[in-house]
Amino acid sequence: MNPDLIDFRKEIHQHPEISGKEEKTAARIQEELQKLYPDEIFTDLGGFGVLAHFRCKSGQPQKTILFRAELDAISVREETGLPYQSKNENVMHGCGHDGHMTILIGLAKMLSENRPENVDVYLLFQPAEETGEGAARVLEDSRFQNLEIDHGFALHNLPGFPEKTIICKEDTFAAGSVGIEVIIKGSFSHAAYPEKGVNPSGTVANLVQKMEQEMEWFRSDRKGNKLVCTFMKMGERAFGISPGSASIGFTIRSESDKILEKGVNRIKEMIDGLRESFEGEISLEEVEPFRATVNSRDGVEIVKWVSEKKGFKYQNLEQPFPWSEDFGEFRRQFPITIFGLGAGEYRPPLHSEKYDFNDGLIGVGTGMFRGIVDYYSSL
C-alpha cells in the first residue's frame, strides 16, 4: 500500500466533476503524470480526456496495450460523513472512478520506475463514461485513431463481491443500453374547455400500455433483457389547466447489441403508429447509448493467468451485469477486456450516497495491470 496513492485518491474524491465537466480533474491528472515523465501526454481527448504514452526500453514494441480509467463522477449528494467527503454540492465519486484513476496513476509510477523491454503502454483517463458519450468521442479524435493498439484493459470495483477477488467472464461482461425519451406536444387549454386544446394524457396511457404488451417478446427473449419506464412528466399541480405537453422515458437494455437494436426499432415503430392517431407532434430521442461490453477470450485468459500468478482469487461471472459501461465502445478499434475487483460483500452499492472506494483495492488493481504488462513482455 502506497500512502501517497491513498492521499491522492482522497484528494480526487473531494473534488468530483460530472460527465463532460471534468476540466479540473483532468488538469490534476496531467499534473501528476508530468512528474512521471511519460514520453507523450495527449490532452482534450473526447472532451477533457488525458492519454499518457510510456514507450518500451528497446524502442521496438512487440505489442502496444492500453489501460483505461474514468474521470467523471455522478450527480448524487454524498452522505458518508468522511473527512474527505465531496466539497462539490450534489456531486460525488459514487462509482469509484476516483479509485480507478488512482490505480492508473499507480501503474504510471511503476512504468516510470521500470519500463517493459518490448511493450508500449498507453494510459487513458476517459471523460463522460457515466453518460455513455466519452468513449465514442475519444474514438472520433484522429490522434487516437492513429494509434495501433493490440488490446485494451479496464477494471471496475464491485461492492457485494468478496474483497480483492478478480471477477471476469468471456463474451458479454456488461449489458448494452439506450435511454428513450418520447416528447408528446399537443396544445394547452382551460380545463373548462379541454376540446379547445390537445391533451396528451390518452396518448401517454396508450404508450405505456402498448410498451407493456408489445415488448413482452423482448423481456422474454433472454434473461438479461430489461425495459423500464424511468420517468413521466405531464402538467403541474393545477386544476384549471388541461396540459398540452408530456415527456416519458424508458431504458432498454440487453447483453446483445443486435437484440437491443431490434428492441429500439420496435419502439420506434410503436411511436410511428401513435403519431397517426394524435393531433399534435410526437418525437423520439435516443439518450446515453451504451454498447454491450464484450470481453476478448484471449484477454480473459490473460486476466486469469495474472490473477493466479499474483495470488488473487479468481471468480468466473456466470451472467453479464445488467448495468452498462462504455468501455465496450472501444472494441470498434481493438479487442477489449474488463474485469471486476471485489470491494467487499457488505459495502454500500455503487451510486449510493453512502458509497466510498475501498483503498485496499489500489494495490490489487495496480498489481493486476502491471502483471498484464509483464505478461505481454514475456511473449
Side-chain angles (χ1 to χ4, degrees), residues 87-321:
K87 294 182 177 181
N88 296 341
E89 189 174 359
N90 298 325
V91 185
M92 69 174 288
H93 273 298
C95 206
H97 294 179
D98 51 339
H100 301 170
M101 284 184 269
T102 303
I103 287 169
L104 225 53
I105 290 295
L107 177 60
K109 290 178 182 287
M110 290 179 173
L111 294 171
S112 179
E113 295 166 1
N114 182 20
R115 298 194 182 214
E117 185 66 34
N118 56 1
V119 177
D120 272 15
V121 180
Y122 285 94
L123 307 182
L124 172 63
F125 297 82
Q126 179 211 306
E129 188 281 325
E130 291 288 345
T131 61
E133 300 170 324
R137 290 177 180 171
V138 169
L139 286 163
E140 291 168 0
D141 193 301
S142 60
R143 294 172 295 172
F144 194 85
Q145 291 172 355
N146 291 332
L147 303 180
E148 296 183 0
I149 295 168
D150 293 294
H151 208 115
F153 290 88
L155 58 76
H156 207 293
N157 75 101
L158 298 175
F161 287 80
E163 189 173 17
K164 300 182 181 179
T165 299
I166 309 302
I167 298 106
C168 199
K169 75 179 291 292
E170 292 181 13
D171 200 29
T172 305
F173 182 85
S177 66
V178 181
I180 303 290
E181 183 172 11
V182 182
I183 306 295
I184 304 171
K185 187 175 181 181
S187 58
F188 289 84
S189 68
H190 196 292
Y193 303 101
E195 67 276 6
K196 293 186 177 182
V198 179
N199 188 315
S201 60
T203 301
V204 169
N206 193 10
L207 175 58
V208 172
Q209 186 178 36
K210 276 182 170 291
M211 199 71 78
E212 287 296 314
Q213 294 173 348
E214 298 189 27
M215 292 300 288
E216 180 57 33
W217 69 267
F218 177 80
R219 292 193 180 95
S220 60
D221 183 77
R222 58 184 66 195
K223 186 177 180 180
N225 286 2
K226 298 186 179 182
L227 177 65
V228 180
C229 179
T230 55
F231 69 87
M232 280 190 278
K233 175 69 170 67
M234 186 182 71
E236 303 296 336
R237 193 179 184 278
F239 300 94
I241 302 171
S242 177
S245 64
S247 60
I248 181 168
F250 301 89
T251 295
I252 181 171
R253 52 185 77 232
S254 175
E255 64 186 69
S256 164
D257 287 337
K258 289 183 178 179
I259 297 296
L260 182 62
E261 183 180 7
K262 186 178 177 182
V264 171
N265 288 337
R266 182 67 191 97
I267 292 172
K268 290 178 178 178
E269 290 172 3
M270 278 191 284
I271 299 301
D272 288 339
L274 290 173
R275 286 192 181 103
E276 296 176 4
S277 59
F278 183 65
E279 294 180 38
E281 299 176 0
I282 303 177
S283 61
L284 178 148
E285 182 181 0
E286 296 181 39
V287 184
E288 298 185 3
F290 289 83
R291 286 176 181 261
T293 304
V294 181
N295 278 344
S296 154
R297 177 179 296 179
D298 291 342
V300 173
E301 289 302 316
I302 292 168
V303 168
K304 286 182 184 178
W305 185 87
V306 172
S307 64
E308 291 172 1
K309 188 173 179 64
K310 295 286 183 180
F312 300 132
K313 183 180 178 181
Y314 179 89
Q315 178 179 332
N316 186 61
L317 185 66
E318 296 297 328
Q319 295 291 333
F321 287 108

Side-chain angles (χ1 to χ4, degrees), residues 18-72:
I18 61 171
S19 303
K21 306 291 184 182
E22 312 97 332
E23 182 175 9
K24 292 180 181 178
T25 304
R28 183 67 183 90
I29 291 295
Q30 183 180 350
E31 178 186 4
E32 199 67 19
L33 286 170
Q34 286 171 337
K35 300 175 186 176
L36 304 173
Y37 305 106
D39 296 283
E40 297 174 285
I41 298 179
F42 302 91
T43 59
D44 300 326
L45 282 168
F48 293 109
V50 180
L51 181 71
H53 181 196
F54 288 86
R55 291 196 176 97
C56 60
K57 292 178 183 178
S58 68
Q60 297 179 325
Q62 301 300 308
K63 294 288 183 180
T64 299
I65 54 177
L66 174 141
F67 297 92
R68 186 220 63 171
E70 315 94 316
L71 290 168
D72 55 344

